[in-house]
mmCIF file of all heavy atoms in Angstrom:
data_model
loop_
_atom_site.group_PDB
_atom_site.id
_atom_site.type_symbol
_atom_site.label_atom_id
_atom_site.label_comp_id
_atom_site.label_asym_id
_atom_site.label_seq_id
_atom_site.Cartn_x
_atom_site.Cartn_y
_atom_site.Cartn_z
ATOM 1 N N LYS I 133 5.929 -24.968 36.672
ATOM 2 C CA LYS I 133 4.710 -24.689 37.405
ATOM 3 C C LYS I 133 3.802 -23.754 36.623
ATOM 4 O O LYS I 133 4.229 -23.074 35.695
ATOM 5 C CB LYS I 133 5.032 -24.083 38.771
ATOM 6 C CG LYS I 133 5.809 -25.003 39.698
ATOM 7 C CD LYS I 133 5.989 -24.390 41.069
ATOM 8 C CE LYS I 133 6.713 -25.336 42.002
ATOM 9 N NZ LYS I 133 6.885 -24.747 43.351
ATOM 10 N N GLU I 134 2.544 -23.734 37.010
ATOM 11 C CA GLU I 134 1.579 -22.855 36.381
ATOM 12 C C GLU I 134 1.798 -21.411 36.813
ATOM 13 O O GLU I 134 2.306 -21.136 37.902
ATOM 14 C CB GLU I 134 0.159 -23.286 36.744
ATOM 15 C CG GLU I 134 -0.257 -24.635 36.196
ATOM 16 C CD GLU I 134 -0.503 -24.595 34.709
ATOM 17 O OE1 GLU I 134 -0.971 -23.556 34.204
ATOM 18 O OE2 GLU I 134 -0.226 -25.598 34.038
ATOM 19 N N ARG I 135 1.414 -20.501 35.954
ATOM 20 C CA ARG I 135 1.437 -19.099 36.305
ATOM 21 C C ARG I 135 0.440 -18.855 37.435
ATOM 22 O O ARG I 135 -0.670 -19.405 37.434
ATOM 23 C CB ARG I 135 1.079 -18.239 35.098
ATOM 24 C CG ARG I 135 0.999 -16.750 35.385
ATOM 25 C CD ARG I 135 0.504 -16.003 34.163
ATOM 26 N NE ARG I 135 1.499 -16.000 33.104
ATOM 27 C CZ ARG I 135 1.226 -15.697 31.838
ATOM 28 N NH1 ARG I 135 -0.017 -15.400 31.476
ATOM 29 N NH2 ARG I 135 2.198 -15.704 30.936
ATOM 30 N N GLU I 136 0.836 -18.046 38.390
ATOM 31 C CA GLU I 136 -0.040 -17.757 39.506
ATOM 32 C C GLU I 136 -0.147 -16.258 39.758
ATOM 33 O O GLU I 136 0.779 -15.495 39.500
ATOM 34 C CB GLU I 136 0.436 -18.462 40.781
ATOM 35 C CG GLU I 136 1.781 -17.989 41.291
ATOM 36 C CD GLU I 136 2.157 -18.606 42.621
ATOM 37 O OE1 GLU I 136 1.252 -19.099 43.336
ATOM 38 O OE2 GLU I 136 3.360 -18.602 42.958
ATOM 39 N N PHE I 137 -1.280 -15.873 40.267
ATOM 40 C CA PHE I 137 -1.530 -14.488 40.631
ATOM 41 C C PHE I 137 -0.728 -14.134 41.864
ATOM 42 O O PHE I 137 -0.657 -14.900 42.824
ATOM 43 C CB PHE I 137 -3.024 -14.293 40.892
ATOM 44 C CG PHE I 137 -3.382 -12.959 41.477
ATOM 45 C CD1 PHE I 137 -3.516 -11.841 40.675
ATOM 46 C CD2 PHE I 137 -3.592 -12.821 42.839
ATOM 47 C CE1 PHE I 137 -3.856 -10.610 41.213
ATOM 48 C CE2 PHE I 137 -3.934 -11.600 43.384
ATOM 49 C CZ PHE I 137 -4.063 -10.494 42.568
ATOM 50 N N VAL I 138 -0.139 -12.958 41.848
ATOM 51 C CA VAL I 138 0.649 -12.483 42.977
ATOM 52 C C VAL I 138 -0.026 -11.311 43.667
ATOM 53 O O VAL I 138 -0.237 -11.327 44.882
ATOM 54 C CB VAL I 138 2.072 -12.073 42.547
ATOM 55 C CG1 VAL I 138 2.842 -11.480 43.715
ATOM 56 C CG2 VAL I 138 2.810 -13.273 41.961
ATOM 57 N N ALA I 139 -0.355 -10.281 42.901
ATOM 58 C CA ALA I 139 -0.929 -9.076 43.487
ATOM 59 C C ALA I 139 -1.691 -8.311 42.435
ATOM 60 O O ALA I 139 -1.372 -8.367 41.253
ATOM 61 C CB ALA I 139 0.159 -8.189 44.098
ATOM 62 N N GLY I 140 -2.706 -7.575 42.871
ATOM 63 C CA GLY I 140 -3.491 -6.760 41.966
ATOM 64 C C GLY I 140 -3.847 -5.435 42.599
ATOM 65 O O GLY I 140 -3.896 -5.308 43.822
ATOM 66 N N ILE I 141 -4.110 -4.456 41.752
ATOM 67 C CA ILE I 141 -4.466 -3.124 42.204
ATOM 68 C C ILE I 141 -5.453 -2.521 41.215
ATOM 69 O O ILE I 141 -5.299 -2.672 40.004
ATOM 70 C CB ILE I 141 -3.203 -2.245 42.367
ATOM 71 C CG1 ILE I 141 -3.542 -0.893 42.985
ATOM 72 C CG2 ILE I 141 -2.481 -2.081 41.029
ATOM 73 C CD1 ILE I 141 -2.296 -0.118 43.414
ATOM 74 N N ASN I 142 -6.478 -1.869 41.734
ATOM 75 C CA ASN I 142 -7.466 -1.291 40.849
ATOM 76 C C ASN I 142 -6.983 0.036 40.285
ATOM 77 O O ASN I 142 -5.893 0.513 40.602
ATOM 78 C CB ASN I 142 -8.813 -1.149 41.561
ATOM 79 C CG ASN I 142 -8.837 -0.008 42.566
ATOM 80 O OD1 ASN I 142 -7.811 0.365 43.127
ATOM 81 N ND2 ASN I 142 -10.021 0.549 42.803
ATOM 82 N N TRP I 143 -7.800 0.644 39.464
ATOM 83 C CA TRP I 143 -7.367 1.833 38.727
ATOM 84 C C TRP I 143 -7.004 3.000 39.634
ATOM 85 O O TRP I 143 -6.103 3.789 39.315
ATOM 86 C CB TRP I 143 -8.453 2.265 37.741
ATOM 87 C CG TRP I 143 -9.684 2.843 38.404
ATOM 88 C CD1 TRP I 143 -10.777 2.155 38.841
ATOM 89 C CD2 TRP I 143 -9.929 4.222 38.693
ATOM 90 N NE1 TRP I 143 -11.696 3.021 39.388
ATOM 91 C CE2 TRP I 143 -11.196 4.294 39.305
ATOM 92 C CE3 TRP I 143 -9.203 5.399 38.490
ATOM 93 C CZ2 TRP I 143 -11.754 5.502 39.727
ATOM 94 C CZ3 TRP I 143 -9.759 6.603 38.909
ATOM 95 C CH2 TRP I 143 -11.023 6.639 39.522
ATOM 96 N N SER I 144 -7.688 3.133 40.755
ATOM 97 C CA SER I 144 -7.453 4.257 41.649
ATOM 98 C C SER I 144 -6.432 3.949 42.737
ATOM 99 O O SER I 144 -6.003 4.852 43.451
ATOM 100 C CB SER I 144 -8.763 4.705 42.296
ATOM 101 O OG SER I 144 -9.333 3.672 43.074
ATOM 102 N N GLY I 145 -6.059 2.688 42.876
ATOM 103 C CA GLY I 145 -5.065 2.304 43.858
ATOM 104 C C GLY I 145 -5.593 2.089 45.256
ATOM 105 O O GLY I 145 -4.803 1.906 46.188
ATOM 106 N N ASP I 146 -6.895 2.101 45.438
ATOM 107 C CA ASP I 146 -7.465 1.942 46.767
ATOM 108 C C ASP I 146 -7.988 0.535 47.037
ATOM 109 O O ASP I 146 -8.536 0.286 48.110
ATOM 110 C CB ASP I 146 -8.560 2.972 47.019
ATOM 111 C CG ASP I 146 -9.698 2.906 46.012
ATOM 112 O OD1 ASP I 146 -9.668 2.037 45.116
ATOM 113 O OD2 ASP I 146 -10.628 3.725 46.119
ATOM 114 N N THR I 147 -7.834 -0.362 46.089
ATOM 115 C CA THR I 147 -8.209 -1.753 46.293
ATOM 116 C C THR I 147 -7.026 -2.630 45.919
ATOM 117 O O THR I 147 -6.589 -2.634 44.770
ATOM 118 C CB THR I 147 -9.433 -2.141 45.461
ATOM 119 O OG1 THR I 147 -10.541 -1.312 45.822
ATOM 120 C CG2 THR I 147 -9.806 -3.597 45.708
ATOM 121 N N LEU I 148 -6.516 -3.358 46.900
ATOM 122 C CA LEU I 148 -5.343 -4.202 46.704
ATOM 123 C C LEU I 148 -5.691 -5.647 47.005
ATOM 124 O O LEU I 148 -6.445 -5.931 47.932
ATOM 125 C CB LEU I 148 -4.196 -3.753 47.613
ATOM 126 C CG LEU I 148 -3.854 -2.261 47.609
ATOM 127 C CD1 LEU I 148 -2.757 -1.977 48.625
ATOM 128 C CD2 LEU I 148 -3.420 -1.813 46.225
ATOM 129 N N ASN I 149 -5.133 -6.542 46.236
ATOM 130 C CA ASN I 149 -5.313 -7.961 46.462
ATOM 131 C C ASN I 149 -3.976 -8.672 46.359
ATOM 132 O O ASN I 149 -3.150 -8.334 45.509
ATOM 133 C CB ASN I 149 -6.294 -8.555 45.448
ATOM 134 C CG ASN I 149 -7.708 -8.054 45.646
ATOM 135 O OD1 ASN I 149 -8.368 -8.388 46.627
ATOM 136 N ND2 ASN I 149 -8.181 -7.238 44.719
ATOM 137 N N TYR I 150 -3.786 -9.665 47.229
ATOM 138 C CA TYR I 150 -2.532 -10.394 47.255
ATOM 139 C C TYR I 150 -2.783 -11.886 47.370
ATOM 140 O O TYR I 150 -3.742 -12.318 48.016
ATOM 141 C CB TYR I 150 -1.664 -9.968 48.441
ATOM 142 C CG TYR I 150 -1.244 -8.524 48.414
ATOM 143 C CD1 TYR I 150 -1.959 -7.554 49.110
ATOM 144 C CD2 TYR I 150 -0.122 -8.130 47.691
ATOM 145 C CE1 TYR I 150 -1.573 -6.226 49.084
ATOM 146 C CE2 TYR I 150 0.267 -6.800 47.663
ATOM 147 C CZ TYR I 150 -0.461 -5.852 48.361
ATOM 148 O OH TYR I 150 -0.067 -4.535 48.332
ATOM 149 N N ALA I 151 -1.917 -12.644 46.742
ATOM 150 C CA ALA I 151 -1.917 -14.071 47.003
ATOM 151 C C ALA I 151 -1.548 -14.309 48.456
ATOM 152 O O ALA I 151 -0.751 -13.565 49.038
ATOM 153 C CB ALA I 151 -0.921 -14.780 46.081
ATOM 154 N N TYR I 152 -2.123 -15.340 49.040
ATOM 155 C CA TYR I 152 -1.857 -15.632 50.438
ATOM 156 C C TYR I 152 -0.360 -15.820 50.689
ATOM 157 O O TYR I 152 0.164 -15.416 51.735
ATOM 158 C CB TYR I 152 -2.616 -16.881 50.871
ATOM 159 C CG TYR I 152 -2.407 -17.249 52.316
ATOM 160 C CD1 TYR I 152 -3.119 -16.605 53.322
ATOM 161 C CD2 TYR I 152 -1.496 -18.234 52.681
ATOM 162 C CE1 TYR I 152 -2.928 -16.928 54.652
ATOM 163 C CE2 TYR I 152 -1.296 -18.563 54.006
ATOM 164 C CZ TYR I 152 -2.015 -17.907 54.989
ATOM 165 O OH TYR I 152 -1.821 -18.234 56.309
ATOM 166 N N SER I 153 0.331 -16.405 49.739
ATOM 167 C CA SER I 153 1.734 -16.721 49.916
ATOM 168 C C SER I 153 2.631 -15.493 50.032
ATOM 169 O O SER I 153 3.746 -15.591 50.555
ATOM 170 C CB SER I 153 2.224 -17.606 48.765
ATOM 171 O OG SER I 153 2.073 -16.942 47.522
ATOM 172 N N VAL I 154 2.164 -14.351 49.544
ATOM 173 C CA VAL I 154 2.992 -13.146 49.575
ATOM 174 C C VAL I 154 2.419 -12.065 50.476
ATOM 175 O O VAL I 154 3.064 -11.021 50.666
ATOM 176 C CB VAL I 154 3.208 -12.572 48.161
ATOM 177 C CG1 VAL I 154 3.738 -13.635 47.220
ATOM 178 C CG2 VAL I 154 1.920 -11.962 47.613
ATOM 179 N N ARG I 155 1.260 -12.300 51.027
ATOM 180 C CA ARG I 155 0.601 -11.299 51.856
ATOM 181 C C ARG I 155 1.484 -10.929 53.048
ATOM 182 O O ARG I 155 2.011 -11.798 53.741
ATOM 183 C CB ARG I 155 -0.756 -11.823 52.313
ATOM 184 C CG ARG I 155 -1.728 -10.762 52.790
ATOM 185 C CD ARG I 155 -3.142 -11.347 52.848
ATOM 186 N NE ARG I 155 -3.617 -11.743 51.530
ATOM 187 C CZ ARG I 155 -4.610 -12.598 51.323
ATOM 188 N NH1 ARG I 155 -5.232 -13.158 52.364
ATOM 189 N NH2 ARG I 155 -4.969 -12.902 50.092
ATOM 190 N N GLY I 156 1.630 -9.646 53.265
ATOM 191 C CA GLY I 156 2.473 -9.167 54.343
ATOM 192 C C GLY I 156 3.915 -8.975 53.953
ATOM 193 O O GLY I 156 4.680 -8.350 54.707
ATOM 194 N N ARG I 157 4.319 -9.495 52.808
ATOM 195 C CA ARG I 157 5.694 -9.370 52.345
ATOM 196 C C ARG I 157 5.818 -8.506 51.096
ATOM 197 O O ARG I 157 6.795 -7.783 50.937
ATOM 198 C CB ARG I 157 6.289 -10.746 52.066
ATOM 199 C CG ARG I 157 6.321 -11.663 53.272
ATOM 200 C CD ARG I 157 7.092 -12.952 52.978
ATOM 201 N NE ARG I 157 6.463 -13.738 51.918
ATOM 202 C CZ ARG I 157 7.042 -14.025 50.760
ATOM 203 N NH1 ARG I 157 8.264 -13.594 50.497
ATOM 204 N NH2 ARG I 157 6.402 -14.768 49.858
ATOM 205 N N PHE I 158 4.840 -8.605 50.217
ATOM 206 C CA PHE I 158 4.862 -7.863 48.964
ATOM 207 C C PHE I 158 3.862 -6.719 49.013
ATOM 208 O O PHE I 158 2.815 -6.816 49.656
ATOM 209 C CB PHE I 158 4.493 -8.763 47.781
ATOM 210 C CG PHE I 158 5.512 -9.817 47.437
ATOM 211 C CD1 PHE I 158 6.604 -10.073 48.247
ATOM 212 C CD2 PHE I 158 5.356 -10.565 46.278
ATOM 213 C CE1 PHE I 158 7.528 -11.052 47.925
ATOM 214 C CE2 PHE I 158 6.270 -11.546 45.939
ATOM 215 C CZ PHE I 158 7.359 -11.789 46.764
ATOM 216 N N THR I 159 4.169 -5.652 48.309
ATOM 217 C CA THR I 159 3.270 -4.516 48.203
ATOM 218 C C THR I 159 3.190 -4.062 46.758
ATOM 219 O O THR I 159 4.214 -3.758 46.145
ATOM 220 C CB THR I 159 3.736 -3.343 49.074
ATOM 221 O OG1 THR I 159 3.845 -3.761 50.437
ATOM 222 C CG2 THR I 159 2.733 -2.190 48.992
ATOM 223 N N ILE I 160 1.985 -4.018 46.230
ATOM 224 C CA ILE I 160 1.779 -3.493 44.889
ATOM 225 C C ILE I 160 1.354 -2.034 44.997
ATOM 226 O O ILE I 160 0.605 -1.658 45.899
ATOM 227 C CB ILE I 160 0.733 -4.320 44.112
ATOM 228 C CG1 ILE I 160 0.650 -3.859 42.654
ATOM 229 C CG2 ILE I 160 -0.630 -4.266 44.785
ATOM 230 C CD1 ILE I 160 -0.213 -4.761 41.775
#
């Protein structure tokens, strides 16, 4: 399978992004 984005966090840690498939289960 292709590489997929899971989670991201900005430099200060106050902006978080998650793939829909892991939202609510994973925490970056």
Side-chain angles (χ1 to χ4, degrees):
K133 297 185 178 180
E134 294 287 326
R135 177 186 290 164
E136 65 174 340
F137 171 82
V138 176
I141 186 169
N142 74 332
W143 70 272
S144 61
D146 58 2
T147 300
L148 311 177
N149 292 291
Y150 297 96
Y152 181 81
S153 60
V154 307
R155 199 164 297 160
R157 300 188 298 118
F158 291 9
T159 303
I160 187 172

